[in-house]
Amino acid sequence: MTGSLFIGSLSNSRIDDLMPGLSTATIFLIGIGVFFLVKTNIARDSFNIILQIEDYTTEKKASKKIIEKYATIYWMTISFIYLAYSFISKNWSQSWIIWPLAGIAYVILEAILSFQFQNNTSKKEALCSENYSATL
């Protein structure tokens, strides 16, 4: 973008010399930004793991184990459907659309399974607390 400011004042040969340097500077600045994002998130996630908050609570870890079992079956099935459809129809140019659709469906499936798991654990906790208070 900075190079476009110099189009009027520089000849074509000078612009061609300027653009690679500006592109290199842009990529360098992006690299610095990514470095700081990664460094900050590593420290943040480390604290979350130690404190067992956000994605690292015991309930979420347990629900992820259950979801992983279904995820393996889901993605293997989607891969089979994609390959079977593509080989049978030889329509490789349009059969790729299954991947974005499968990604959206997976997010919905994951939300349903995690919601169901959270409801089951809250019911079990309520039953356990009722039984515990009844024995006291």
Side-chain angles (χ1 to χ4, degrees):
M1 290 176 58
T2 308
S4 65
L5 299 174
F6 298 108
I7 288 177
S9 61
L10 296 176
S11 65
N12 282 340
S13 64
R14 301 292 286 166
I15 290 175
D16 291 341
D17 294 339
L18 180 67
M19 287 300 182
L22 293 174
S23 299
T24 304
T26 302
I27 292 172
F28 181 72
L29 291 173
I30 290 170
I32 290 171
V34 169
F35 169 77
F36 284 118
L37 284 173
V38 169
K39 183 178 178 183
T40 304
N41 282 325
I42 287 173
R44 182 175 168 268
D45 284 344
S46 299
F47 286 123
N48 288 345
I49 290 169
I50 291 170
L51 298 173
Q52 292 188 353
I53 57 176
E54 292 182 14
D55 288 340
Y56 302 100
T57 61
T58 54
E59 295 85 17
K60 286 201 177 185
K61 286 191 270 185
S63 69
K64 283 187 180 191
K65 285 182 183 177
I66 293 172
I67 291 171
E68 284 177 5
K69 293 177 187 175
Y70 291 110
T72 303
I73 296 168
Y74 177 80
W75 287 113
M76 289 178 73
T77 305
I78 294 297
S79 298
F80 175 77
I81 291 169
Y82 169 72
L83 290 173
Y85 174 76
S86 297
F87 279 118
I88 291 170
S89 69
K90 298 192 186 328
N91 192 7
W92 295 91
S93 63
Q94 293 178 351
S95 63
W96 64 268
I97 196 69
I98 194 170
W99 296 113
L101 295 175
I104 293 168
Y106 177 74
V107 171
I108 294 169
L109 177 70
E110 187 178 34
I112 291 170
L113 288 174
S114 65
F115 180 74
Q116 185 178 14
F117 179 78
Q118 288 174 353
N119 282 345
N120 288 342
T121 56
S122 63
K123 287 178 187 177
K124 287 178 185 177
E125 288 173 359
L127 287 174
C128 289
S129 64
E130 286 177 13
N131 290 338
Y132 181 72
S133 62
T135 58
L136 289 177

